[in-house]
Amino acid sequence: MKYGVYNILKARFLIDDDAVKNWRFIVFLILLAIIMIANTQRFEQKVFMIAGLTNEVKELRSEFVDKRSQLMKLKMESTVSEKMLERQIFPSTVPPVKIKVKKEEEKSFLKKIWQ
């Protein structure tokens, strides 16, 4: 056993007659290590990209909520009436009237259009 450890420390397994087998195995292990390192690096790049895209989605979502609240404020009748006062357009004092059309009148009207 003493000579076995001594031979390993001296790296005799790399220079013996059957060292070609050992070199093939060592090269195979090195290639596997390189592939593993490259795979880990690609994985980390994708994790960073996902984190960046998640932050961007959060920012865009908050911007969307902000713009939607601004739109709701701009669509309010009070805001619209204030903007129209600048152009001297005033709200109507007369309430709107609902127009009802009877079905018979509607049919006769459609017949006139098609003729």
Side-chain angles (χ1 to χ4, degrees):
M1 180 160 164
K2 180 179 178 183
Y3 291 113
V5 174
Y6 185 69
N7 286 337
I8 290 174
L9 292 176
K10 286 255 187 178
R12 296 224 184 241
F13 64 94
L14 297 176
I15 56 174
D16 284 342
D17 293 336
D18 60 344
V20 175
K21 295 179 199 173
N22 295 335
W23 278 108
R24 286 182 190 165
F25 186 70
I26 291 171
V27 169
F28 175 71
L29 289 179
I30 290 172
L31 286 174
L32 283 180
I34 290 171
I35 290 171
M36 189 176 80
I37 291 169
N39 194 18
T40 304
Q41 185 176 4
R42 286 183 60 208
F43 173 75
E44 288 178 359
Q45 286 176 347
K46 289 181 181 181
V47 167
F48 287 131
M49 185 177 68
I50 289 171
L53 290 174
T54 304
N55 288 338
E56 187 178 347
V57 165
K58 287 179 183 178
E59 290 175 11
L60 290 173
R61 190 170 285 143
S62 65
E63 184 180 344
F64 166 73
V65 170
D66 184 43
K67 296 296 181 184
R68 183 173 55 181
S69 65
Q70 287 178 359
L71 177 65
M72 293 298 285
K73 184 179 177 186
L74 288 174
K75 285 174 35 177
M76 291 174 52
E77 184 180 353
S78 59
T79 308
V80 173
S81 64
E82 287 176 9
K83 296 283 184 180
M84 290 298 112
L85 286 177
E86 296 172 2
R87 297 182 182 190
Q88 308 241 335
I89 300 175
F90 304 103
S92 175
T93 56
V94 180
V97 178
K98 186 173 183 179
I99 301 174
K100 294 183 181 180
V101 177
K102 294 182 181 178
K103 290 189 177 188
E104 292 176 11
E105 293 176 0
E106 185 177 314
K107 288 180 183 178
S108 65
F109 177 73
L110 289 175
K111 285 181 182 177
K112 288 180 183 178
I113 293 176
W114 288 104
Q115 290 179 357

